[in-house]
Amino acid sequence: MKNVLEDIIEPPVDRKIANRNMNDRVQDIPGWGMDADPDNDPTYPMKHSTGADHERLNYVKAPQQRQNIEVLRSIERPNITRVFGTSTPPAGLSGAIRRYAYKFSEATATHWMTLILADRVDVIQGKLNDLKHGIFPNPWIERGWRAEWKHNRPAFLGRMAVTTLVITAGILLITRKSRGKKMLANS
Amino acid sequence: MLAMNFRGPYQIRPDRNRPMPEIEHPYDAIVRVTRSLVCGSDLHLYHGLVPDTRVGMTFGHEFTGIVEEIGSGVQNLEVGDHVLVPFNIACGTCPFCKQELYGNCHEANSEATAVGGFFGYAHTGGGYDGGQAEYVRVPYADVSPIKIPEGMDIEDAVLLTDVVPTGYQAAEQAGIQKGDTVVVFGAGPIGIMAARCAWFFGAGRVIIIDHIDYRLEFAKKYSYCEAYNFKEMNDPVVFVKKLTDWYGADVCIDAVGCEAVGHGLQDITGRMLLQAGSGTALHWAVNSLKKGGILSIIGVYGPPWNLAPIGSIMNKGITVRANQASVKRLLPKLIDHVMSGRLNPKGIISHRIPLEEVSDAYRMFSKKLDNIIKPLLIPPRAFAA
Ligand SMILES: NC(=O)c1ccc[n+]([C@@H]2O[C@H](COP(=O)([O-])OP(=O)(O)OC[C@H]3O[C@@H](n4cnc5c(N)ncnc54)[C@H](O)[C@@H]3O)[C@@H](O)[C@H]2O)c1
Ligand SMILES: [Zn+2]
Ligand SMILES: [Zn+2]
């Protein structure tokens, strides 16, 4: 693999460099810090700046939650969080796609679009899984058609009628075509 | 136990066979849910717009419940406490939590550094199952959850987990000065609450804009504000300019987020996922502001990017302020507003629906059926609570 600048950084460096600058360098920079004004903090009151920012990652952390499932991790952080969700670990084909997506940073479209792709694949996986457990799709409940029937009947029926029409027309068209082909084949 | 089970975009199942949550960390608690709400943010999940929303997950980040079990390290809660649980999962000790940015905790979401930890909000929100269920695992139980104050209505309490603090923060971060003209885009629960809360900061005028008449009517009364339908406008930006004597609003609040409608190009590119939903509300808000005005973004946008008028932000000297609400930070003040009768959160609940009918609640909220403002879900055994 190509050598990239990322590979030569060995964290933690940020505060080391900042502290070195503050200790040795800034006195030689004319006017350093002269106009600093802690009250000019546009993040207040959303954020009560306490300087904790400059502790970087050296804070008291909770014990690490035991990891007995697969947790995907953003490559923009060094480790998994001390506490994490255990809902629906990656599985099957969608899981493989997700693992690939997590090779890319949150700044890339590849990361997010690949995850969306995984989500769509997951839906199919979910359907197959349901069937395996004898659960059939039930749009009346799952898609909330019951609610449409109750509160939006005319529009709902209209939409259903159009959908049915389009599907029937499609089926007719396909069967007609294949019947035509069959006739040709027979003649 | 019974819980909602996500099966794919627009598909949700009330599922009686969900496994019970367990203590997985010494700081965890298990809470038996007494009330939960469906949020506009849940609709982004429901519509399949949030990446890494996995089939089988339980949503729900706004809930109250009774503590059933606590981990060995939990000190502030006891079994039997009736708590309201802020939607942010927060460790309390990272620099962000220590500076009260509880919506931006660094130890609650492995999957995305840009996003905090939230209950039931996809793996992009940390992969936690949520509270549209009978039971839920509550991590860092000592940090955010608090006992529902003596005498507080449970319906007010559950709205303090998100809607009230979010609406309040939308107004707070807008830096409203006495006499300011505030324009709120979006008359959903969040916009309605933001408009209501703008008065706490001394607004001189509060104007709300949406395209759903029943919501505008509701907002007019609940939030004491002016309300206008953008479908009756040629150009909402020109409308606001004229309404502010061709000056522009002092403050605009975007309480719509990525599912804004009203602009063809934005709608289409949003739906095709060429951008993270539509940026219409952002666009209108930036352009409606006066020069040097403040844009407060509380509506949610997806991660990659949106078509937003950065050029106008720069040229006009607009200050943009945005965040997930920091619920814990705002609770003391908001509890006081509620307990003293100044604020009536439960007034925005329009529907009370059994958890068994969660899929109907989503459909109704998504399609804005039956004049819905905010649906409350009640788990079967919690009706008495
Ligand atoms: N930052 C946070 O902490 C936080 C918390 C909760 C919710 N939210 C976000 O706030 C937003 C609103 O939530 P909600 O529960 O009120 O949802 P909602 O869907 O009920 O409300 C959105 C409203 O915006 C209206 N709208 C659509 N396009 C518009 C446009 N171009 N201009 C003006 N109005 C328009 C809709 O008609 C609807 O009434 C969502 O994006 C949600 O994710 C953010
Ligand atoms: Zn919410
Ligand atoms: Zn934290």
Side-chain angles (χ1 to χ4, degrees):
Chain A
M1 222 174 92
K2 195 174 75 176
N3 267 340
V4 287
L5 282 178
E6 288 94 304
D7 297 342
I8 64 170
I9 306 168
E10 278 184 36
V13 292
D14 171 74
R15 287 300 93 188
K16 254 190 241 158
I17 297 171
N19 290 337
R20 198 173 57 215
N21 287 343
M22 306 267 259
N23 291 336
D24 314 334
R25 292 197 57 211
V26 297
Q27 61 267 34
D28 299 325
I29 301 173
W32 182 86
M34 239 178 88
D35 301 333
D37 175 6
D39 288 339
N40 177 19
D41 177 356
T43 64
Y44 183 85
M46 294 155 64
K47 170 171 161 182
H48 287 185
S49 298
T50 59
D53 270 330
H54 291 173
E55 293 169 21
R56 292 298 191 257
L57 296 185
N58 301 314
Y59 49 89
V60 183
K61 296 185 184 73
Q64 180 63 52
Q65 178 179 337
R66 214 156 40 107
Q67 192 186 345
N68 36 26
I69 56 151
E70 181 179 359
V71 179
L72 296 175
R73 172 177 63 81
S74 164
I75 61 164
E76 293 180 44
R77 57 175 300 132
N79 47 22
I80 60 167
T81 48
R82 290 306 172 99
V83 162
F84 51 84
T86 48
S87 173
T88 48
L93 177 60
S94 68
I97 302 172
R98 290 187 208 287
R99 272 175 219 119
Y100 177 76
Y102 275 89
K103 292 186 196 300
F104 301 88
S105 88
E106 295 162 52
T108 62
T110 313
H111 178 73
W112 299 110
M113 298 316 256
T114 309
L115 283 173
I116 292 266
L117 172 70
D119 291 348
R120 301 298 178 259
V121 171
D122 203 6
V123 175
I124 301 168
Q125 250 171 256
K127 296 265 184 276
L128 295 177
N129 223 349
D130 274 353
L131 287 178
K132 231 173 38 200
H133 292 95
I135 304 171
F136 291 92
N138 179 356
W140 181 252
I141 300 296
E142 290 171 3
R143 289 185 177 268
W145 288 358
R146 178 173 61 189
E148 292 269 357
W149 180 257
K150 230 165 130 188
H151 302 292
N152 197 26
R153 199 170 301 169
F156 179 60
L157 285 176
R159 234 178 316 117
M160 280 301 171
V162 171
T163 315
T164 319
L165 224 77
V166 169
I167 294 178
T168 328
I171 292 176
L172 276 179
L173 215 75
I174 292 168
T175 47
R176 259 253 212 82
K177 261 197 194 142
S178 59
R179 222 190 309 145
K181 269 190 206 137
K182 244 187 238 149
M183 268 154 64
L184 274 180
N186 283 346
S187 65
Chain B
M1 67 160 183
L2 174 68
M4 77 78 86
N5 177 341
F6 175 71
R7 305 311 300 166
Y10 298 91
Q11 298 163 73
I12 274 175
R13 183 186 305 149
D15 188 342
R16 293 195 177 277
N17 301 316
R18 305 293 288 168
M20 282 285 291
E22 284 170 17
I23 300 276
E24 307 193 40
H25 185 276
Y27 296 174
D28 282 358
I30 302 298
V31 164
R32 178 165 62 83
V33 177
T34 49
R35 295 290 184 277
S36 65
L37 294 157
V38 184
C39 177
S41 301
D42 292 327
L43 294 180
H44 311 322
L45 299 170
Y46 182 63
H47 297 154
L49 290 174
V50 180
D52 215 353
T53 306
R54 300 184 194 167
V55 169
M57 191 181 214
T58 297
F59 303 162
H61 56 268
E62 310 180 0
F63 58 92
T64 55
I66 294 166
V67 178
E68 284 274 313
E69 197 186 339
I70 52 174
S72 56
V74 174
Q75 286 170 354
N76 301 340
L77 293 183
E78 283 173 34
V79 170
D81 284 348
H82 199 172
V83 291
L84 72 88
V85 182
F87 78 88
N88 325 112
I89 296 173
C91 76
T93 57
C94 74
F96 307 112
C97 285
K98 277 209 277 201
Q99 297 178 102
E100 303 199 322
L101 295 170
Y102 298 106
N104 312 102
C105 177
H106 203 63
E107 288 294 341
N109 184 347
S110 298
E111 278 95 344
T113 58
V115 187
F118 309 123
F119 291 95
Y121 213 75
H123 279 69
T124 299
Y128 301 89
D129 277 321
Q132 289 161 9
E134 286 187 287
Y135 296 87
V136 59
R137 169 191 169 216
V138 175
Y140 296 126
D142 267 346
V143 181
S144 288
I146 58 159
K147 272 206 261 186
I148 298 176
E150 229 11 265
M152 179 180 282
D153 192 312
I154 180 178
E155 293 191 345
D156 285 329
V158 73
L159 280 157
L160 283 171
T161 62
D162 181 345
V163 173
V164 180
T166 299
Y168 186 90
Q169 185 173 307
E172 180 198 54
Q173 73 191 10
I176 297 167
Q177 301 298 314
K178 280 196 179 151
D180 272 359
T181 292
V182 177
V183 177
V184 180
F185 290 91
I190 301 299
I192 289 168
M193 198 55 72
R196 169 65 191 88
C197 290
W199 299 114
F200 284 126
F201 298 92
R205 257 181 108 181
V206 179
I207 296 154
I208 202 164
I209 293 177
D210 200 300
H211 66 121
I212 300 178
D213 282 324
Y214 78 81
R215 291 193 160 196
L216 291 167
E217 280 313 309
F218 181 90
K220 227 186 261 179
K221 282 187 235 106
Y222 184 91
S223 313
Y224 313 96
C225 64
E226 303 163 52
Y228 300 100
N229 189 327
F230 68 75
K231 276 211 252 163
E232 295 163 18
M233 302 167 192
N234 238 340
D235 183 332
V237 173
V238 176
F239 173 82
V240 173
K241 285 283 168 64
K242 201 158 176 198
L243 199 65
T244 55
D245 305 330
W246 303 109
Y247 193 74
D250 299 292
V251 163
C252 282
I253 296 175
D254 171 0
V256 182
C258 59
E259 299 202 53
V261 294
H263 187 283
L265 179 69
Q266 293 270 10
D267 290 357
I268 291 167
T269 48
R271 237 168 267 146
M272 289 169 61
L273 296 177
L274 295 177
Q275 59 168 328
S278 129
T280 303
L282 272 182
H283 201 89
W284 287 351
V286 169
N287 287 296
S288 300
L289 279 167
K290 71 179 181 189
K291 298 175 182 75
I294 299 175
L295 166 64
S296 160
I297 308 175
I298 203 82
V300 164
Y301 289 87
W305 49 66
N306 277 96
L307 294 173
I310 292 293
S312 301
I313 291 176
M314 185 272 164
N315 279 310
K316 292 171 78 170
I318 303 299
T319 300
V320 179
R321 303 184 81 192
N323 205 347
Q324 293 285 346
S326 179
V327 177
K328 179 183 163 70
R329 172 175 71 83
L330 292 167
L331 276 180
K333 192 178 287 174
L334 294 173
I335 286 171
D336 185 48
H337 280 324
V338 173
M339 294 308 276
S340 61
R342 287 186 288 268
L343 203 56
N344 166 28
K346 65 173 177 289
I348 70 162
I349 296 176
S350 58
H351 289 68
R352 292 165 180 80
I353 298 171
L355 178 60
E356 294 93 322
E357 293 170 25
V358 58
S359 55
D360 291 8
Y362 270 82
R363 183 76 178 207
M364 290 167 72
F365 195 39
S366 161
K367 295 286 292 294
K368 317 294 182 221
L369 302 180
D370 200 33
N371 290 356
I372 197 164
I373 306 270
K374 184 80 178 171
L376 177 78
L377 297 172
I378 310 177
R381 274 178 299 161
F383 264 95

